[in-house]
Amino acid sequence: KSALFWEMCCDLKRRFLLLYATQKGQAKAIAEEIWQQAGAHGLEADMHCISEMDKYNLETEKDPVVIVISTTGTGDPPDTARKFVKKIQDTTLPPDHFAHLQYGLLGLGDSEYTFFCNGGKTVDQRLQELGAQHFYDTGLADDCVGLELVVDPWIDGLWLALRESFLLQKEKEGMSSDTNAVSSALSAAPHVMHELNLSSEVQNLKLEDEGVLSQKLIDIHLVASARDTEPSLVHSVPPLSQSALNIPALPPEYIEVQFQDAHGENPHLSSLISEGTIFEVPVTKAVQLTREDAIKTALLLELDIADTVFDYQPGDAFCVICPNNVNEVEELLQILELPEKGECFVCVKVKRGTKKKGAVHPQHIPERSTLKFILTWCLEIRAIPKKAFLRALVECTSDAGEKRRLQELCSRQGASDYTHFIRESNVCLLDLLHAFPSCKPSLNLLIEHLPKLQARSYSVSSSNFYQPGKLWFLFNIVEFPACPARPVSRKGVCTGWLAELVAPLLHPSKNTLDKKGGSPSTEKV
C-alpha cells in the first residue's frame, strides 16, 4: 500500500541523491542502511561516494539530496570529501549558486574532540551560504555516546521529510491538481498515511516466519532467567523480553572466500596502507615512567630513525602499524573451527549476483594471503560490533534464546541495552562468541562486517635538534578490566603489543643478552 501511495504522491519523482563522505567506513555503512530502507519506502536512492564527482552534479540536481559525512583528525572533513569541499569553497561562487538545491545532512563526530562534527558543519554552512535549502533538519551524531542515538531517529524521520519535499516539488512545477488528488486520496484512506508513518518500523521488521515475535514467544531460557531482576549481555527482563521487536533488514552477503594451498608469501605490510610513507625502525630504548603500584603504566620508547627520511617537529603525530593479539587470533580460529587453516592461503572475491549496492573488494583485504595474516593484520577483531553485524549474527545462531537476545540487542526496542552491554562495555566479537556459544559465523561474514585494523596515532615527545636521529613517544598501557560482559581483562591492541615487544628492554636478563654481554636483541616497529 505504501508503495502505491508513493506512486500516487510522486509519480516519477521517487529518486533522491544520496552522498556519503567516509574516513573509516561509518558514514558509508549508514548511507547503505538508508539505501536499503529507501527501497522499502518505494524510493530509489542514487548512492555515491562524494568523491565520485563525475557521477553526480549538484549544479543541475533537481531531486532532494541526502548527505552523510563524518569528521576526521581534529575537525576536518574526511579525505574523500576534500575535493568536494575545495570546490564549494570557491570564493567566486555567487550566493545563489545552489538556490535550487534541497538537502538534508547527517554529520558524524565525537564530542571528546573540540571541533565536534566539524566535517558536516563545514559542508552544511557552505551550502547554506550558497543558497541551498534544508528540506530536513541537520542531524549531528556523537560517537562518544553512540551514533545510533541520533542516526536511528534521524533516518526514521527522513521518509516523511522526503515525501513533503516531493509534494512541494510538484507544487512548484504547477502540478497542484495532482497534489489535490493525493490529498483526497489520503482523506479517503487515512490508514495509508498511518501506515506510511510507521513504515520505517514495519518495513524493516524481519523476524521469524510469522513476521513478529509476539509476547507469547518467550524462549524457555529467558523464562529460566526471569528470576534475575537485572538485565545482562545474555538475557533481558520485561518489558524488552516480552516485546515485539523492530530489527534492521538483513545485510546482503557480498564476499566469497576460497581456501587454497599453503604455498606463497603474504603481502608486505606497506601494501595495507593507502597513503603516507612507511618506515621500519628499531626500538633502542624503553623506560617505565611509573611505579609498579601505579594505577596506570606509562612507558617511554625511543626509535632510531637515523636511516630514514623522517623529519618531524615536537608534537607531530605519527602512526604505528600494529597486529592483533596472537592469542586472540588463535582463539578466534578455534571458535570458527578453522584451527588447522591458519596458514592456508585464502582468495577473497566479491560474490557473484550479490544484492549489495556497489559491492567492491575491501581495499584493506589482500586478494590472496593466509587466513592468519588477515585476522592478524587486516581486521579490527576488537571492534565494537555494529547493529548490522549483530543482525547478521542472528542468522548464524542456533539456540533460540541466544537468537532472541541478539535480536533484542540490534532492535529499536533494545537500544539502551545495546548501548550499555555492547558499546559502553567495549564488547568485541570474541566476547560475543563466548557469550553466545551457538553462534557460528562464517569467515566471509567477518570480512564483511569487521572494519580495517587501523594504525594507531601517537605524538612525538622529542626534538630532532636535541636528539638527532631519535624519536621519543610516551603512552599509557590501555587496560580493559574483566566485567560481566567480558570474562577476561585485555590490554589495548597497540599499547599491549608495544609493551610486550619492549619487555626485554624493560627487564633485561641473561638469556636476552648476546654473547658479548651487550644490550638485548633489537625489536623493530
Side-chain angles (χ1 to χ4, degrees):
K1 292 177 182 177
S2 59
L4 176 62
F5 173 76
W6 273 110
E7 199 72 49
M8 294 161 56
C9 259
C10 310
D11 194 18
L12 298 177
K13 293 290 184 181
R14 295 184 298 146
R15 170 195 173 272
F16 66 95
L17 179 63
L18 175 58
L19 302 177
Y20 66 86
T22 191
Q23 187 71 20
K24 297 181 179 179
Q26 295 263 43
K28 181 180 180 182
I30 292 169
E32 288 174 343
E33 175 68 19
I34 294 173
W35 177 83
Q36 281 187 325
Q37 290 195 30
H41 288 270
L43 295 172
E44 177 192 350
D46 186 11
M47 186 174 75
H48 302 287
C49 177
I50 206 165
S51 63
E52 299 174 312
M53 299 173 70
D54 59 325
K55 297 182 179 179
Y56 67 92
N57 186 356
L58 294 188
E59 277 79 4
T60 59
E61 184 60 59
K62 295 181 179 179
D63 292 331
V65 179
V66 176
I67 302 172
V68 185
I69 178 170
S70 62
T71 299
T72 189
T74 56
D76 300 319
D79 295 340
T80 53
R82 284 180 180 177
K83 289 183 180 179
F84 176 83
V85 171
K86 184 178 180 180
K87 183 177 181 180
I88 65 173
Q89 286 182 336
D90 183 352
T91 55
T92 64
L93 295 176
D96 61 347
H97 185 71
F98 286 133
H100 62 283
L101 200 65
Q102 298 285 323
Y103 77 100
L105 185 141
L106 175 62
L108 314 180
D110 189 326
S111 60
E112 289 189 348
Y113 292 87
T114 304
F115 301 104
F116 170 63
C117 275
N118 202 54
K121 290 177 180 178
T122 298
V123 172
D124 196 17
Q125 180 179 343
R126 186 56 181 153
L127 290 177
Q128 291 281 299
E129 291 171 353
L130 294 174
Q133 300 292 319
H134 287 129
F135 77 85
Y136 188 36
D137 289 341
T138 295
L140 300 176
D142 187 359
D143 199 30
C144 183
V145 297
L147 294 174
E148 66 278 354
L149 297 182
V150 169
V151 171
D152 289 351
W154 192 89
I155 294 177
D156 288 346
L158 175 63
W159 314 115
L160 177 61
L162 279 169
R163 187 195 76 213
E164 292 175 345
S165 177
F166 288 131
L167 289 172
L168 183 62
Q169 196 173 37
K170 282 208 169 189
E171 288 178 0
K172 287 183 177 180
E173 293 172 359
M175 302 180 71
S176 57
S177 58
D178 287 345
T179 305
N180 293 334
V182 169
S183 300
S184 60
L186 282 176
S187 300
H191 63 280
V192 178
M193 171 70 90
H194 178 66
E195 178 176 277
L196 183 66
N197 289 338
L198 296 179
S199 62
S200 63
E201 297 181 3
V202 175
Q203 294 289 350
N204 290 326
L205 185 60
K206 185 178 181 182
L207 294 172
E208 308 300 334
D209 292 338
E210 58 270 34
V212 177
L213 288 177
S214 70
Q215 294 184 10
K216 297 179 181 179
L217 292 179
I218 306 171
D219 188 82
I220 188 170
H221 295 278
L222 296 176
V223 174
S225 61
R227 60 178 68 101
D228 297 323
T229 57
E230 295 296 326
S232 70
L233 174 64
V234 295
H235 82 271
S236 59
V237 296
L240 178 59
S241 62
Q242 299 176 349
S243 297
L245 302 175
N246 306 112
I247 65 175
L250 181 65
E253 294 186 1
Y254 71 98
I255 289 294
E256 188 174 77
V257 180
Q258 296 175 342
F259 281 94
Q260 299 178 335
D261 55 46
H263 301 292
E265 291 186 2
N266 283 311
H268 193 269
L269 293 181
S270 60
S271 66
L272 303 178
I273 307 298
S274 58
E275 59 182 34
T277 309
I278 297 169
F279 305 100
E280 188 174 24
V281 297
V283 183
T284 50
K285 183 192 289 185
V287 180
Q288 183 169 320
L289 303 180
T290 48
R291 299 189 316 183
E292 292 297 332
D293 61 349
I295 296 175
K296 294 183 178 180
T297 301
L299 301 182
L300 179 149
L301 268 58
E302 179 186 81
L303 307 180
D304 183 353
I305 60 170
D307 294 334
T308 68
V309 185
F310 192 100
D311 189 27
Y312 71 85
Q313 300 292 328
D316 281 354
F318 67 99
C319 293
V320 174
I321 302 173
C322 60
N324 285 309
N325 181 278
V326 62
N327 295 326
E328 292 177 27
V329 171
E330 292 292 344
E331 191 178 352
L332 193 52
L333 285 170
Q334 290 286 344
I335 294 176
L336 294 174
E337 300 179 351
L338 297 170
E340 309 300 325
K341 297 282 191 178
E343 299 301 334
C344 289
F345 277 77
V346 294
C347 182
V348 178
K349 297 181 179 179
V350 174
K351 195 174 185 178
R352 285 187 178 181
T354 179
K355 295 181 180 179
K356 180 179 173 65
K357 167 78 170 177
V360 294
H361 185 281
Q363 290 185 341
H364 58 284
I365 304 294
E367 290 190 1
R368 188 176 186 273
S369 64
T370 62
L371 174 55
K372 191 171 288 187
F373 182 87
I374 292 175
L375 295 179
T376 302
W377 293 101
C378 305
L379 296 176
E380 188 88 56
I381 64 174
R382 287 275 197 90
I384 297 172
K386 298 283 188 290
K387 288 186 177 182
F389 194 9
L390 296 182
R391 176 65 185 90
L393 291 177
V394 168
E395 305 304 310
C396 311
T397 305
S398 57
D399 180 84
E402 294 177 10
K403 185 188 287 273
R404 162 74 192 199
R405 183 54 176 156
L406 286 171
Q407 288 171 331
E408 291 172 349
L409 289 169
C410 71
S411 72
R412 192 179 315 282
Q413 290 78 7
S416 61
D417 275 21
Y418 173 84
T419 299
H420 183 64
F421 297 114
I422 302 287
R423 185 179 181 82
E424 293 177 352
S425 299
N426 276 293
V427 162
C428 66
L429 174 63
L430 271 176
D431 300 324
L432 279 182
L433 296 180
H434 283 302
F436 301 94
S438 77
C439 182
K440 302 292 182 182
S442 60
L443 179 57
N444 67 285
L445 206 64
L446 270 59
I447 295 175
E448 290 170 359
H449 288 277
L450 288 175
K452 175 185 178 181
L453 178 58
Q454 299 287 339
R456 268 48 175 182
S457 181
Y458 296 93
S459 296
V460 178
S461 57
S462 56
S463 166
N464 219 0
F465 296 108
Y466 186 63
Q467 295 116 341
K470 305 291 184 183
L471 183 150
W472 288 10
F473 68 105
L474 294 85
F475 59 88
N476 288 326
I477 300 176
V478 178
E479 301 273 359
F480 296 100
C483 65
R486 182 177 49 255
V488 295
S489 62
R490 294 196 179 99
K491 290 182 169 62
V493 174
C494 192
T495 60
W497 171 68
L498 288 172
E500 188 175 329
L501 190 73
V502 304
L505 291 170
L506 291 170
H507 311 289
S509 58
K510 291 182 180 180
N511 59 358
T512 63
L513 302 180
D514 61 25
K515 294 180 180 179
K516 296 180 181 179
S519 60
S521 59
T522 303
E523 298 290 352
K524 292 186 176 182
V525 296

